[in-house]
Structures are given as C-alpha cells and as structure tokens.
Amino acid sequence: MKRYYDLWLARIKPLLKTAQGRPVALAVLFALSLLNLSSEWPSNLARPAFVTTLDDTLPDSFKSARQLLFDQYQRHHPRVPTAQPVTIVEIDEETLASVGQWPWPRNRLAALIDAIAASKPLAIGLDLYMPEPDQTSPDKVADNLPETASTAALAAGLRALPSHDAILAGSLRAAPTILGAAALDHAAFATSIMLRSAPILVHGADPLPRVLRYDYVLASLPQLQAAAHGQAMLSVALEQGVVRHIPLIMGLRDELVPSLPMEMLRVATGSAALEVLTDAAGVQAVGVADVQVPTQPGGDIWLHFASIRSTLGRYVSARDVLQGKVDPDRFHDKLVLVGLTGAGVTDMRTTPLGELVPGIEIQAQVIETIVEGRFLRRPTWLKWVESAFIMGVGLLIIWYVPRRQSRLAVLIRAVPKGATVIGLLLHLLNLLCCFYIFVRFGLLVDAAAIFIILSAVMGCFLSPALLHQQEQNRLEAVRAQARQADQDSTGKAPEA
C-alpha cells in the first residue's frame, strides 16, 4: 500500500508544482463545475450529448450532497403551520376494528361521505381508488346464490336493490367530491389510458415534454368517475426513498392531468379549469381562480414540510364521523381528505424531516402550503448564479493564493493548518448565508456544491505546502535516526 502511495505522490508532485499549481487548479475548477452543472442541467438550455454521458458515467455526483443539504435546511427550520385549511378523516386501526376490515362495502363508504358532506365542506378528496365493482353488492350476492327454487325469490329481491356502487355514486354526486387515481408506468389489471379530469388551459409552450408522464392509470369505475366532481392523480416523486418534490400537474400519455391538491382547490373555488403558465424553460406556475403556485420547470414544487407533531390536530377518526361524534366545524368550509392510515393498509412515506408519515399527510401539506403561500423555490436562474459565484471565487483563489508575497501564501508556508482553519471558517460563513436565504426567502441555495468545488481548488495549493512539510518531517526523522545511530556506536552524545 505504501508503495502505491509513494508512486502516486511522485507523479502528482510535479503537476502541483508546475506554475505554482495553477493549471491543476484550473482543471479541477472547470471539471467539477461541469460535473455540477450536468447533475442539474438548466432546463432552458439544450443538453449536449457529452453532458448526458458525463451524468450517466458519474450519476448523483453532486445531487446526493445537494439533497442531503436541503433536508438539513428543513430539519433546522421546518414549516410551522399558520392555518389549518385541511381536515383528514382517517380510516385508522380503531375504525377498522370497529367498522370492519378494508375494503369496505361501498354503501358504508357512501355513509361516511354523506356524514362529512352534511357539514358543508368546500371539497372532499378521496385518497382512494376503486377500479373493480363491489363484490358485496346485492346483485353480486344474488349471482353467487345456488340456482334453486327456494333461492329464486331471494335472488330476484336482491337484484331489485340498488348496487353499492350506485349508492356510492349518488353520494359522490351530491357532495363536492374528488376521486384519486394511481399513476402507473405499465399496464396491469383494470388499468386504463384515460382519466375523466377537468380541462387544463396552457398559456405558453407545451408543458408535456417537461412534466412527469405516465402511460397508464388505475382509476375508479367509470360510473364513479362520472358521479364525482373531479378526478386527480395520486403520485409523489421519491428520491432515495424520500419525498421532496410534489407534482402539481402530470402527463397521462398526451393529456395533462391534475394532482389531488390542485383539483380539490379547483372544485372548492368552483373553477371550470386549471391554468398552467409556461415558457421555454418549462412550467412556471400552476393556477386556479386567483391562486398561482410557482413551480419548478417540471410542474412540481419543493415542499416545505411541517413536523407531523404539529399537524396531528387535523386528524379525525372515520369511526367518530360515522358515530356522529365530530364537531361539524371540523368540516365546515374545510378541504377534507379521506384516506387510510391503519397499519398494513396505508402507504407510508419518509419526509426530509426524517419522519414516516401517511401518504395522505403529504397531500394535506401541499394544500396547506398553497393556502399559506409559503413555497420553497429553486428557479433556473439560481443555478447560474451559483455557477458564476463558484467560477468567480475559484478564479480569484487561483490568481491570489499562489502569489509568494501574499499574506495567505506566507501563512500557508508558515502554518499550513492555519490556512485550513481559515478555509473552514469561510465555508461555515457560506453555509450560514445560504441557510439565511432559505429561512428569509425560501430559496434553496446549493452550499454543498460551493463547498466541494472551492475546497478542491484550494486543496491544489494547500497540498504542495503540506507535501513540503511532510518531506521536511521525514528528513528530520531520518536525521534523528542517524544521530541516534551515531550515539549508539560511539557511546557519546553527538556534538551539537
């Protein structure tokens, strides 16, 4: 191992000493800056083939560090809710134990919707999808009866009753309801390629090439879709198992479809359509009524999460709703979400705060964020500002640090570790400034890339000083050993 280290050291030392290390530092600055850009290439700029190759060769080169940094921003400054526009009716373990296991007969779900609708909510979003007919409906039960004379009258009577799907359709039609649908990349049983959703008006360039797109959807029965007042996609973007981005609009083949939060706001405001504002860079905003939500070019938003501990007050057990134990004010003029939270029947998601929350909680936080108007943003221009800052400071370091008479050069020669301390203090200042921008303006500035690239550039000049110091220490050790050997051979202390 030491042999390889010495060989590497012998090859790198001449390069670091050439022109006082400036060529190596320049190469490091430009190479890492390009790698950083390739990991988050601006959408308004054509992506060269070599950049794609570079990103494929070194995937997640800067992306992982960036994501972890942004997670730390949120952990140190989570959103504190200032309003509670959403109430979640959770089909929890207590409800399942009391009412029955999931899936329920749909007349029971209809009763739950009727109970909520009696308190006049603005909209009711179902984080559920029902692609198959209810097998507990009277007509389905009749079909399973033996064909005998004794059961003929019973079967006829059952078929004369309304199906559970028809009962649920009546409840959906009578209340401002929105049905969810699962987005899929592949065909499966009961999937389709269409969704009965409200129109989306586009102002500007076609956003379909930019947004998250799917080929199939697992939606509720056409009878239920026709009865509900809106349809929406249930989808979150996972990055290393963590939810950071939430799409507000998506593509289903060649059609734009809304997310559940945006469709609920459309129904709540009585709007006929959603609006999408785009330009050459992609989607700039998604709007409904007088609300416009600034988005990333892909039609998604970075969600500023609140801790689950601060949102537990929005949860109401479906059991209590069915038993009439819930104050009507919990639903009146509220946006109500209905979903599963019971163990084994819910999808749990990890947030940047490190918390495991039900998927329906994420939908609620999106609505809450839009109502409060508190958005996290990472606009395209911010990447250019970061790149310009890195290049400017990097070139300043390359010009100034190697100058033999500069104060920093004298310090590096005298106290190599002192320069390291100064560098760390400057990077701490960089991190604090970026965190302040996050807290004050909601902008996600990539302090990680600034730290990594500028540290590498500075290291090109610190390394020769450290290598020189290492050589001096080695020579001193050799001299000390020689003096000790001479003393042992003569039996006298060597002369000073």
PDB file of all heavy atoms in Angstrom, residues 200-211:
ATOM      1  N   ILE A 200     -57.295  21.550 -18.559  1.00  0.00           N
ATOM      2  CA  ILE A 200     -56.162  22.356 -18.093  1.00  0.00           C
ATOM      3  C   ILE A 200     -55.772  23.289 -19.226  1.00  0.00           C
ATOM      4  O   ILE A 200     -55.398  22.835 -20.312  1.00  0.00           O
ATOM      5  CB  ILE A 200     -54.978  21.469 -17.668  1.00  0.00           C
ATOM      6  CG1 ILE A 200     -55.374  20.604 -16.466  1.00  0.00           C
ATOM      7  CG2 ILE A 200     -53.760  22.316 -17.338  1.00  0.00           C
ATOM      8  CD1 ILE A 200     -54.272  19.665 -15.984  1.00  0.00           C
ATOM      9  N   LEU A 201     -55.873  24.588 -18.992  1.00  0.00           N
ATOM     10  CA  LEU A 201     -55.574  25.591 -20.009  1.00  0.00           C
ATOM     11  C   LEU A 201     -54.106  25.970 -19.922  1.00  0.00           C
ATOM     12  O   LEU A 201     -53.613  26.347 -18.854  1.00  0.00           O
ATOM     13  CB  LEU A 201     -56.455  26.824 -19.808  1.00  0.00           C
ATOM     14  CG  LEU A 201     -57.980  26.569 -19.763  1.00  0.00           C
ATOM     15  CD1 LEU A 201     -58.724  27.876 -19.531  1.00  0.00           C
ATOM     16  CD2 LEU A 201     -58.448  25.884 -21.040  1.00  0.00           C
ATOM     17  N   VAL A 202     -53.404  25.886 -21.040  1.00  0.00           N
ATOM     18  CA  VAL A 202     -51.966  26.173 -21.089  1.00  0.00           C
ATOM     19  C   VAL A 202     -51.743  27.532 -21.719  1.00  0.00           C
ATOM     20  O   VAL A 202     -52.260  27.817 -22.803  1.00  0.00           O
ATOM     21  CB  VAL A 202     -51.219  25.088 -21.884  1.00  0.00           C
ATOM     22  CG1 VAL A 202     -49.739  25.426 -21.983  1.00  0.00           C
ATOM     23  CG2 VAL A 202     -51.418  23.720 -21.240  1.00  0.00           C
ATOM     24  N   HIS A 203     -50.972  28.366 -21.032  1.00  0.00           N
ATOM     25  CA  HIS A 203     -50.581  29.662 -21.561  1.00  0.00           C
ATOM     26  C   HIS A 203     -49.076  29.623 -21.811  1.00  0.00           C
ATOM     27  O   HIS A 203     -48.281  29.743 -20.883  1.00  0.00           O
ATOM     28  CB  HIS A 203     -50.927  30.776 -20.567  1.00  0.00           C
ATOM     29  CG  HIS A 203     -52.379  30.812 -20.188  1.00  0.00           C
ATOM     30  ND1 HIS A 203     -53.348  31.384 -20.979  1.00  0.00           N
ATOM     31  CD2 HIS A 203     -53.037  30.322 -19.099  1.00  0.00           C
ATOM     32  CE1 HIS A 203     -54.531  31.273 -20.405  1.00  0.00           C
ATOM     33  NE2 HIS A 203     -54.368  30.617 -19.250  1.00  0.00           N
ATOM     34  N   GLY A 204     -48.703  29.440 -23.071  1.00  0.00           N
ATOM     35  CA  GLY A 204     -47.286  29.356 -23.400  1.00  0.00           C
ATOM     36  C   GLY A 204     -46.956  28.058 -24.108  1.00  0.00           C
ATOM     37  O   GLY A 204     -47.810  27.436 -24.752  1.00  0.00           O
ATOM     38  N   ALA A 205     -45.712  27.634 -23.973  1.00  0.00           N
ATOM     39  CA  ALA A 205     -45.228  26.432 -24.657  1.00  0.00           C
ATOM     40  C   ALA A 205     -45.868  25.172 -24.070  1.00  0.00           C
ATOM     41  O   ALA A 205     -46.340  25.171 -22.929  1.00  0.00           O
ATOM     42  CB  ALA A 205     -43.707  26.353 -24.544  1.00  0.00           C
ATOM     43  N   ASP A 206     -45.868  24.122 -24.863  1.00  0.00           N
ATOM     44  CA  ASP A 206     -46.426  22.839 -24.432  1.00  0.00           C
ATOM     45  C   ASP A 206     -45.612  22.295 -23.253  1.00  0.00           C
ATOM     46  O   ASP A 206     -44.409  22.054 -23.384  1.00  0.00           O
ATOM     47  CB  ASP A 206     -46.400  21.856 -25.596  1.00  0.00           C
ATOM     48  CG  ASP A 206     -47.031  20.509 -25.244  1.00  0.00           C
ATOM     49  OD1 ASP A 206     -47.638  20.411 -24.160  1.00  0.00           O
ATOM     50  OD2 ASP A 206     -46.904  19.574 -26.049  1.00  0.00           O
ATOM     51  N   PRO A 207     -46.258  22.061 -22.094  1.00  0.00           N
ATOM     52  CA  PRO A 207     -45.510  21.570 -20.931  1.00  0.00           C
ATOM     53  C   PRO A 207     -45.303  20.062 -20.906  1.00  0.00           C
ATOM     54  O   PRO A 207     -44.541  19.556 -20.082  1.00  0.00           O
ATOM     55  CB  PRO A 207     -46.387  21.998 -19.759  1.00  0.00           C
ATOM     56  CG  PRO A 207     -47.772  21.984 -20.315  1.00  0.00           C
ATOM     57  CD  PRO A 207     -47.662  22.368 -21.760  1.00  0.00           C
ATOM     58  N   LEU A 208     -45.942  19.323 -21.787  1.00  0.00           N
ATOM     59  CA  LEU A 208     -45.872  17.859 -21.719  1.00  0.00           C
ATOM     60  C   LEU A 208     -44.449  17.307 -21.766  1.00  0.00           C
ATOM     61  O   LEU A 208     -44.138  16.354 -21.046  1.00  0.00           O
ATOM     62  CB  LEU A 208     -46.719  17.236 -22.835  1.00  0.00           C
ATOM     63  CG  LEU A 208     -48.193  16.988 -22.496  1.00  0.00           C
ATOM     64  CD1 LEU A 208     -48.957  16.552 -23.729  1.00  0.00           C
ATOM     65  CD2 LEU A 208     -48.339  15.969 -21.382  1.00  0.00           C
ATOM     66  N   PRO A 209     -43.543  17.869 -22.584  1.00  0.00           N
ATOM     67  CA  PRO A 209     -42.177  17.322 -22.575  1.00  0.00           C
ATOM     68  C   PRO A 209     -41.445  17.524 -21.259  1.00  0.00           C
ATOM     69  O   PRO A 209     -40.439  16.858 -21.015  1.00  0.00           O
ATOM     70  CB  PRO A 209     -41.486  18.112 -23.712  1.00  0.00           C
ATOM     71  CG  PRO A 209     -42.590  18.581 -24.587  1.00  0.00           C
ATOM     72  CD  PRO A 209     -43.725  18.858 -23.658  1.00  0.00           C
ATOM     73  N   ARG A 210     -41.927  18.427 -20.403  1.00  0.00           N
ATOM     74  CA  ARG A 210     -41.231  18.749 -19.162  1.00  0.00           C
ATOM     75  C   ARG A 210     -41.774  17.993 -17.945  1.00  0.00           C
ATOM     76  O   ARG A 210     -41.034  17.700 -17.016  1.00  0.00           O
ATOM     77  CB  ARG A 210     -41.351  20.247 -18.879  1.00  0.00           C
ATOM     78  CG  ARG A 210     -40.866  21.137 -20.005  1.00  0.00           C
ATOM     79  CD  ARG A 210     -39.377  21.176 -20.079  1.00  0.00           C
ATOM     80  NE  ARG A 210     -38.887  22.198 -20.993  1.00  0.00           N
ATOM     81  CZ  ARG A 210     -37.634  22.355 -21.327  1.00  0.00           C
ATOM     82  NH1 ARG A 210     -36.716  21.545 -20.834  1.00  0.00           N
ATOM     83  NH2 ARG A 210     -37.257  23.303 -22.176  1.00  0.00           N
ATOM     84  N   VAL A 211     -43.074  17.691 -17.945  1.00  0.00           N
ATOM     85  CA  VAL A 211     -43.697  17.168 -16.733  1.00  0.00           C
ATOM     86  C   VAL A 211     -43.498  15.666 -16.611  1.00  0.00           C
ATOM     87  O   VAL A 211     -43.124  14.978 -17.574  1.00  0.00           O
ATOM     88  CB  VAL A 211     -45.212  17.501 -16.706  1.00  0.00           C
ATOM     89  CG1 VAL A 211     -45.424  19.007 -16.790  1.00  0.00           C
ATOM     90  CG2 VAL A 211     -45.960  16.794 -17.837  1.00  0.00           C
TER      91      VAL A 211
END
